[in-house]
Amino acid sequence: MKALIFDVDGTLADTEAVHLRAFNQAFEQEGLDWHWTLAQYTELLAISGGKERMLHFWRQVNPDLTEVGGGAVQATIDHLHEIKTAFYEDAVNQGAVSLRPGVLALMSEARAAGLQLAIATTTSPVNIAALLRGAIGPDWRSHFLAVGDASNAPIKKPHPQVYLKVLADMALPARDCVAFEDSANGLQAAMAAGLSTVITPNDFTAHHAFQGALRVVPDLSAVKLAHLREWHAAVQH
Ligand code: XBP
Ligand code: MG
């Protein structure tokens, strides 16, 4: 086991309630009559990626929606997402989210033991920076050998693109790594890249199916490197 690869939203931190508020703030600022409830958003999370999620919703409320010449639909989505991202980044900078239990301790233990860390997320680079700057410090980027995100892996989970990109950037085979995820889409993406995956569900994903996971644990507070080594070794041939 040479590297640990972490999803961000829902895994490093419980971010989705803050994402939800930011989406609704963007809709309101733009004068739209869209407002997502918690229950609605939990269902909409089946679509990974904020832009993809908004487009999916737009098609739900307007089945006749078709892209017109010049890409006006996509431009509207991009504009809304920019506003949403600004609201979200602002909230994170003001301390609206903190890392889930055990995350920082496991990262520190892994680094001290000479393992590499990486990020594999569908979200935008500014959102990762806001979270990890606050949680780790201004040098947070140097803690990770590779960061895969919406800017360099645009095809969203459950597609494995972001995991394949991170593995390629680290020049490591999947069998040398363990991934950490919170959702079914995330697990599918990691598994499709050949990764053993530890799942820490949250309120938004507790009902998801996690067949094929290496382990499903409530959070990382009781997970030490020794456990990961044991679980990982048991599935290697
Ligand atoms: C998280 C997402 C993201 C966030 C919103 O999935 O799907 O879209 O909900 O972030 P994962 P953006 O944890 O599997 O990466 O609006 O920046 O997409
Ligand atoms: Mg996630």
Side-chain angles (χ1 to χ4, degrees), residues 206-222:
H207 60 289
H208 288 192
F210 295 124
Q211 281 91 349
L214 183 62
R215 281 290 185 290
V216 181
V217 291
D219 59 46
L220 295 179
S221 56

Side-chain angles (χ1 to χ4, degrees), residues 104 107-108 111 117 119 128-147:
L104 210 49
M107 283 182 170
S108 303
R111 290 186 76 226
L117 302 180
I119 296 284
I128 311 166
L131 178 69
L132 295 181
R133 213 186 301 118
I136 296 176
D139 67 335
W140 71 270
R141 184 58 184 82
S142 67
H143 290 221
F144 300 91
L145 183 57
V147 175

Side-chain angles (χ1 to χ4, degrees), residues 4-165:
L4 308 183
I5 311 174
F6 292 87
D7 168 48
V8 174
D9 292 302
T11 303
L12 291 188
D14 281 317
T15 55
E16 288 301 353
V18 183
H19 280 296
L20 169 59
R21 195 165 68 232
F23 279 113
N24 283 330
Q25 284 171 318
F27 301 154
E28 197 181 319
Q29 180 174 309
E30 287 302 284
L32 293 169
D33 62 356
W34 300 356
H35 183 91
W36 293 345
T37 64
L38 203 64
Q40 225 175 351
Y41 191 66
T42 304
E43 277 181 32
L44 284 167
L45 280 175
I47 309 296
S48 292
K51 291 183 187 180
E52 291 78 0
R53 192 169 301 141
M54 286 191 285
L55 187 57
H56 172 84
F57 176 76
W58 199 353
R59 288 194 198 290
Q60 273 183 346
V61 293
N62 184 358
D64 299 330
L65 183 73
T66 43
E67 187 57 278
V68 284
V73 169
Q74 193 54 50
T76 303
I77 292 288
D78 290 351
H79 178 64
L80 276 170
H81 195 256
E82 246 175 65
I83 297 169
K84 175 262 165 180
T85 299
F87 276 121
Y88 176 82
E89 191 190 0
D90 224 40
V92 175
N93 282 334
Q94 285 171 36
V97 289
S98 38
L99 297 188
R100 291 186 64 183
V103 166
L104 210 49
L106 184 60
M107 283 182 170
S108 303
E109 193 191 358
R111 290 186 76 226
L115 274 79
Q116 300 289 351
L117 302 180
I119 296 284
T121 175
T122 65
T123 202
S124 312
V126 291
N127 295 347
I128 311 166
L131 178 69
L132 295 181
R133 213 186 301 118
I136 296 176
D139 67 335
W140 71 270
R141 184 58 184 82
S142 67
H143 290 221
F144 300 91
L145 183 57
V147 175
D149 57 43
S151 71
N152 55 28
I155 310 176
K156 306 294 161 68
K157 302 169 187 177
H159 193 284
Q161 186 186 53
V162 70
Y163 279 105
L164 297 173
K165 157 98 181 122

